[in-house]
Amino acid sequence: GHISQDKYAELEKSVDSFLHQNELQYFKTRKFEKRKKDYLTGCCVAKWVAAAYLKETDLVTIEIANGVFNQPVVRYNGWNIPGVSLSHSHEVSVALSFPSGHPMALDIEKVDPERVDVLRRQLTEYEKGLVQKRGKDESIDYCQIWTMKEALSKVLGCGLTAPFSIFEIKEPY
Protein backbone atom coordinates (compact mmCIF):
# COMPACT_ATOMS: atom_id res chain seq x y z
CA GLY A 1 0.00 0.00 0.00
CA HIS A 2 0.99 3.60 -0.40
CA ILE A 3 -0.40 7.06 0.23
CA SER A 4 0.82 10.51 -0.68
CA GLN A 5 1.06 13.18 1.98
CA ASP A 6 -0.96 15.50 -0.26
CA LYS A 7 -3.97 13.51 1.00
CA TYR A 8 -3.26 14.73 4.55
CA ALA A 9 -5.92 17.48 4.66
CA GLU A 10 -8.55 15.03 3.46
CA LEU A 11 -7.47 12.41 6.01
CA GLU A 12 -7.34 14.94 8.85
CA LYS A 13 -11.00 15.81 8.31
CA SER A 14 -12.07 12.19 8.74
CA VAL A 15 -9.77 10.90 11.52
CA ASP A 16 -12.76 9.80 13.61
CA SER A 17 -13.79 7.37 10.89
CA PHE A 18 -10.55 5.37 10.83
CA LEU A 19 -8.36 6.09 13.87
CA HIS A 20 -8.58 3.91 16.96
CA GLN A 21 -9.19 5.97 20.13
CA ASN A 22 -5.56 5.51 21.26
CA GLU A 23 -4.31 6.65 17.85
CA LEU A 24 -6.62 9.66 17.89
CA GLN A 25 -5.39 10.64 21.35
CA TYR A 26 -1.76 10.34 20.21
CA PHE A 27 -2.43 12.27 16.99
CA LYS A 28 -3.93 15.16 18.94
CA THR A 29 -0.73 15.51 20.99
CA ARG A 30 1.45 16.05 17.89
CA LYS A 31 2.42 19.72 17.72
CA PHE A 32 4.39 20.00 14.48
CA GLU A 33 2.71 19.73 11.10
CA LYS A 34 5.36 17.40 9.63
CA ARG A 35 4.99 14.99 12.58
CA LYS A 36 1.21 15.07 12.20
CA LYS A 37 1.43 14.34 8.47
CA ASP A 38 3.95 11.55 8.94
CA TYR A 39 1.91 9.97 11.71
CA LEU A 40 -1.48 10.21 10.03
CA THR A 41 -0.43 9.04 6.57
CA GLY A 42 1.78 6.28 7.99
CA CYS A 43 -0.92 5.08 10.34
CA CYS A 44 -3.51 5.16 7.57
CA VAL A 45 -1.50 3.10 5.09
CA ALA A 46 -0.49 0.62 7.82
CA LYS A 47 -4.16 0.20 8.73
CA TRP A 48 -5.09 -0.39 5.08
CA VAL A 49 -2.63 -3.23 4.65
CA ALA A 50 -3.48 -4.71 8.07
CA ALA A 51 -7.20 -4.48 7.28
CA ALA A 52 -6.68 -6.26 3.96
CA TYR A 53 -4.76 -9.01 5.70
CA LEU A 54 -7.36 -9.33 8.48
CA LYS A 55 -10.27 -8.98 6.04
CA GLU A 56 -11.61 -6.18 8.27
CA THR A 57 -13.60 -3.26 6.88
CA ASP A 58 -13.82 -1.20 10.09
CA LEU A 59 -10.44 0.49 10.43
CA VAL A 60 -11.30 1.79 13.92
CA THR A 61 -11.00 -1.77 15.26
CA ILE A 62 -7.34 -1.89 14.20
CA GLU A 63 -4.74 -0.01 16.20
CA ILE A 64 -1.24 0.69 14.96
CA ALA A 65 0.77 1.01 18.16
CA ASN A 66 4.49 1.55 18.71
CA GLY A 67 6.76 -1.22 19.90
CA VAL A 68 9.80 -0.83 22.10
CA PHE A 69 11.98 -0.02 19.05
CA ASN A 70 9.29 2.33 17.74
CA GLN A 71 8.28 -0.31 15.20
CA PRO A 72 4.61 -0.55 14.19
CA VAL A 73 2.64 -3.17 16.11
CA VAL A 74 -0.86 -4.16 15.02
CA ARG A 75 -3.49 -4.58 17.73
CA TYR A 76 -6.84 -5.87 16.60
CA ASN A 77 -10.11 -5.74 18.52
CA GLY A 78 -8.20 -5.29 21.76
CA TRP A 79 -6.00 -8.32 21.13
CA ASN A 80 -2.31 -7.85 21.53
CA ILE A 81 -1.15 -11.08 19.97
CA PRO A 82 2.08 -12.19 21.64
CA GLY A 83 5.24 -13.26 19.93
CA VAL A 84 6.79 -16.61 20.81
CA SER A 85 10.39 -17.79 20.81
CA LEU A 86 11.19 -21.49 20.87
CA SER A 87 14.39 -23.47 21.28
CA HIS A 88 15.29 -27.09 21.82
CA SER A 89 18.47 -28.92 22.50
CA HIS A 90 18.68 -32.66 22.96
CA GLU A 91 15.80 -33.64 25.25
CA VAL A 92 14.79 -30.14 26.42
CA SER A 93 12.42 -27.67 24.77
CA VAL A 94 11.87 -24.13 26.06
CA ALA A 95 9.58 -21.33 24.97
CA LEU A 96 9.10 -17.67 25.80
CA SER A 97 5.99 -15.60 25.15
CA PHE A 98 6.34 -11.81 24.96
CA PRO A 99 4.42 -8.71 23.88
CA SER A 100 4.71 -8.29 20.11
CA GLY A 101 5.92 -4.73 20.64
CA HIS A 102 8.93 -5.89 22.65
CA PRO A 103 10.74 -8.60 20.68
CA MET A 104 12.59 -11.20 22.71
CA ALA A 105 14.17 -14.55 21.97
CA LEU A 106 15.87 -17.39 23.71
CA ASP A 107 18.20 -20.17 22.77
CA ILE A 108 19.54 -23.18 24.64
CA GLU A 109 22.44 -25.41 23.77
CA LYS A 110 23.97 -28.40 25.45
CA VAL A 111 27.63 -27.84 26.20
CA ASP A 112 29.49 -30.44 24.17
CA PRO A 113 33.30 -30.43 24.28
CA GLU A 114 33.31 -32.30 20.96
CA ARG A 115 31.71 -29.26 19.24
CA VAL A 116 34.42 -26.79 20.33
CA ASP A 117 36.07 -26.73 16.89
CA VAL A 118 32.75 -26.16 15.10
CA LEU A 119 31.76 -23.33 17.47
CA ARG A 120 35.26 -21.77 17.40
CA ARG A 121 35.01 -21.41 13.60
CA GLN A 122 31.84 -19.33 14.02
CA LEU A 123 33.51 -16.76 16.29
CA THR A 124 35.43 -13.67 15.28
CA GLU A 125 39.08 -13.21 16.23
CA TYR A 126 38.03 -10.67 18.86
CA GLU A 127 35.62 -13.14 20.46
CA LYS A 128 38.26 -15.86 20.46
CA GLY A 129 40.50 -13.39 22.28
CA LEU A 130 37.79 -12.83 24.91
CA VAL A 131 37.56 -16.58 25.48
CA GLN A 132 41.33 -16.85 25.73
CA LYS A 133 41.52 -13.98 28.27
CA ARG A 134 38.93 -15.67 30.50
CA GLY A 135 41.10 -18.77 30.61
CA LYS A 136 38.19 -21.00 31.60
CA ASP A 137 36.52 -23.97 29.95
CA GLU A 138 36.49 -23.13 26.22
CA SER A 139 33.59 -25.46 25.50
CA ILE A 140 31.36 -23.50 27.89
CA ASP A 141 32.54 -20.10 26.66
CA TYR A 142 32.16 -20.93 22.97
CA CYS A 143 28.73 -22.40 23.62
CA GLN A 144 27.66 -19.28 25.57
CA ILE A 145 28.71 -16.94 22.78
CA TRP A 146 27.04 -19.13 20.15
CA THR A 147 23.84 -19.18 22.21
CA MET A 148 23.82 -15.38 22.65
CA LYS A 149 24.32 -14.86 18.93
CA GLU A 150 21.60 -17.33 17.98
CA ALA A 151 19.11 -15.67 20.35
CA LEU A 152 19.96 -12.24 18.93
CA SER A 153 19.51 -13.52 15.37
CA LYS A 154 16.05 -14.75 16.38
CA VAL A 155 15.12 -11.34 17.84
CA LEU A 156 16.15 -9.69 14.58
CA GLY A 157 14.14 -12.24 12.62
CA CYS A 158 16.98 -13.43 10.42
CA GLY A 159 17.89 -16.61 12.26
CA LEU A 160 20.93 -18.42 10.92
CA THR A 161 20.66 -16.79 7.49
CA ALA A 162 22.95 -13.88 8.44
CA PRO A 163 26.69 -14.27 8.98
CA PHE A 164 27.33 -14.63 12.70
CA SER A 165 30.16 -12.08 12.50
CA ILE A 166 27.56 -9.26 12.43
CA PHE A 167 26.50 -10.30 15.96
CA GLU A 168 30.03 -9.95 17.36
CA ILE A 169 30.25 -9.70 21.15
CA LYS A 170 32.10 -6.47 22.01
CA GLU A 171 32.27 -6.66 25.79
CA PRO A 172 33.30 -9.43 28.10
CA TYR A 173 30.27 -11.60 28.73
Side-chain angles (χ1 to χ4, degrees):
H2 70 280
I3 189 170
S4 171
Q5 286 197 351
D6 63 355
K7 302 282 187 200
Y8 172 73
E10 184 181 328
L11 290 173
E12 188 178 30
K13 290 177 189 171
S14 61
V15 291
D16 291 330
S17 69
F18 68 91
L19 286 184
H20 182 276
Q21 66 183 24
N22 294 341
E23 295 165 335
L24 188 57
Q25 185 178 0
Y26 181 81
F27 176 69
K28 288 178 179 178
T29 66
R30 303 297 87 201
K31 292 179 177 36
F32 300 107
E33 197 69 15
K34 172 148 179 38
R35 296 268 189 228
K36 291 176 93 167
K37 281 183 180 180
D38 287 348
Y39 178 77
L40 194 59
T41 56
C43 187
C44 185
V45 74
K47 286 168 105 47
W48 288 347
V49 296
Y53 178 85
L54 296 167
K55 296 177 179 37
E56 176 60 66
T57 57
D58 184 2
L59 296 180
V60 174
T61 64
I62 300 169
E63 177 186 1
I64 307 299
N66 287 329
V68 70
F69 300 118
N70 210 28
Q71 79 277 23
V73 175
V74 176
R75 294 189 182 138
Y76 179 57
N77 280 332
W79 287 90
N80 188 10
I81 300 167
V84 174
S85 180
L86 174 65
S87 183
H88 17 15
S89 180
H90 293 78
E91 296 184 18
V92 177
S93 294
V94 294
L96 169 70
S97 180
F98 52 89
S100 58
H102 194 129
M104 297 180 191
L106 56 80
D107 187 58
I108 59 170
E109 298 289 336
K110 181 179 180 183
V111 176
D112 182 354
E114 292 182 21
R115 290 185 60 209
V116 168
D117 289 336
V118 173
L119 297 177
R120 182 185 293 122
R121 286 194 297 269
Q122 299 303 316
L123 273 56
T124 65
E125 292 303 316
Y126 179 80
E127 292 166 331
K128 291 174 193 174
L130 288 176
V131 170
Q132 209 169 33
K133 282 181 194 174
R134 282 178 49 103
K136 299 194 177 188
D137 185 342
E138 284 186 342
S139 60
I140 293 174
D141 288 347
Y142 288 139
C143 189
Q144 281 182 320
I145 293 173
W146 170 271
T147 303
M148 288 187 278
K149 288 180 165 198
E150 190 163 352
L152 179 57
S153 74
K154 289 178 181 181
V155 169
L156 298 176
C158 59
L160 299 177
T161 63
F164 262 26
S165 60
I166 68 170
F167 306 120
E168 183 177 57
I169 306 298
K170 291 292 183 186
E171 297 294 324
Y173 48 101

